[in-house]
Amino acid sequence: MPDPMSVASGICAAGALLTSWQLRQRALRAEAEIEHLQAELAAERHAASHDPLTGLPNRRAFYRLAATLLTRADGRTLIAVVVDLDDFKQVNDRFGHAAGDQVLIIVAERLTAFAGDNLVARLGGDEFAGLLASPTVDRRWIDHATRRLGETLGAPIPLGGRSVRVTASVGLAPVTGPAQLTEALGRADAAMYRAKSLGTGRAPRQLVDSPRLAEC
């Protein structure tokens, strides 16, 4: 006949193991729930700071990130860039909004490839902005960089069985500190609109903020 004490001891041990297993399962579920909440929070933060179509930082994130980069620039000059596609409405009207979205995605990809590790953002609609590191503010370097950007944006964009070209108006302005960011973007934006007023051409258009470049 089994010893009652041994039976009771065995039951207690089994109960302890069961309790331990249950606690472990609860801990695992709690960890999984925390990881899920953290992932949701990260996704919400990303959505709040990024353009849902192109994946680029949005306007708010651009200003925040640009200010941080300028704070760490140690007096080095960066170049504020504003890019606006010309007559983009015609793309939507002729080919549909899905095609227009595809054009914006490809433009964003090309700007990102051109900028490399530098900051690029979609400000809204068909307007983009960037903050590019520059080894110099020499006019020849600026002209070369602008020409390369124009060529990058002006390459044919495949849309199904056809391809389209978009022209862009570009404005640039040097900026050396976070306090100058808004002013520099304003000058780059004004330069971009002056370029746009020159009229539509087959080649992407650009206008450098030359008065400021001459002062640097």
Side-chain angles (χ1 to χ4, degrees), residues 3-22:
D3 181 11
M5 294 298 294
S6 298
V7 173
S9 177
I11 292 174
C12 289
L17 287 173
L18 178 61
T19 300
S20 177
W21 180 84
Q22 290 174 334

Side-chain angles (χ1 to χ4, degrees), residues 35-64:
E35 290 179 359
H36 177 70
L37 292 174
Q38 288 176 336
E40 284 189 340
L41 180 59
E44 289 176 1
R45 287 176 175 172
H46 185 274
S49 61
H50 288 75
D51 171 51
L53 177 65
T54 65
L56 294 179
N58 59 22
R59 179 183 293 270
R60 179 181 298 179
F62 173 75
Y63 277 91
R64 184 182 70 251

Side-chain angles (χ1 to χ4, degrees), residues 77-101:
T77 298
L78 299 177
I79 304 296
V81 182
V82 174
V83 176
D84 189 89
L85 303 184
D86 299 318
D87 301 320
F88 178 70
K89 184 176 181 296
Q90 292 186 10
V91 177
N92 288 328
D93 291 344
R94 290 183 60 188
F95 305 111
H97 288 277
D101 287 348

Side-chain angles (χ1 to χ4, degrees), residues 23-44:
L23 291 174
R24 176 59 179 166
Q25 293 303 306
R26 289 176 184 174
L28 291 174
R29 286 196 295 270
E31 290 176 2
E33 182 65 20
I34 290 173
E35 290 179 359
H36 177 70
L37 292 174
Q38 288 176 336
E40 284 189 340
L41 180 59
E44 289 176 1

Side-chain angles (χ1 to χ4, degrees), residues 133-178:
S134 170
T136 176
V137 290
D138 178 80
R139 178 60 181 266
R140 289 175 298 179
W141 186 92
I142 296 295
D143 286 344
H144 176 69
T146 304
R147 187 164 53 252
R148 284 181 52 229
L149 176 56
E151 292 170 354
T152 297
L153 297 179
I157 296 176
L159 289 178
R162 61 173 70 90
S163 65
V164 299
R165 289 180 182 269
V166 294
T167 64
S169 297
V170 182
L172 296 89
V175 52
T176 57

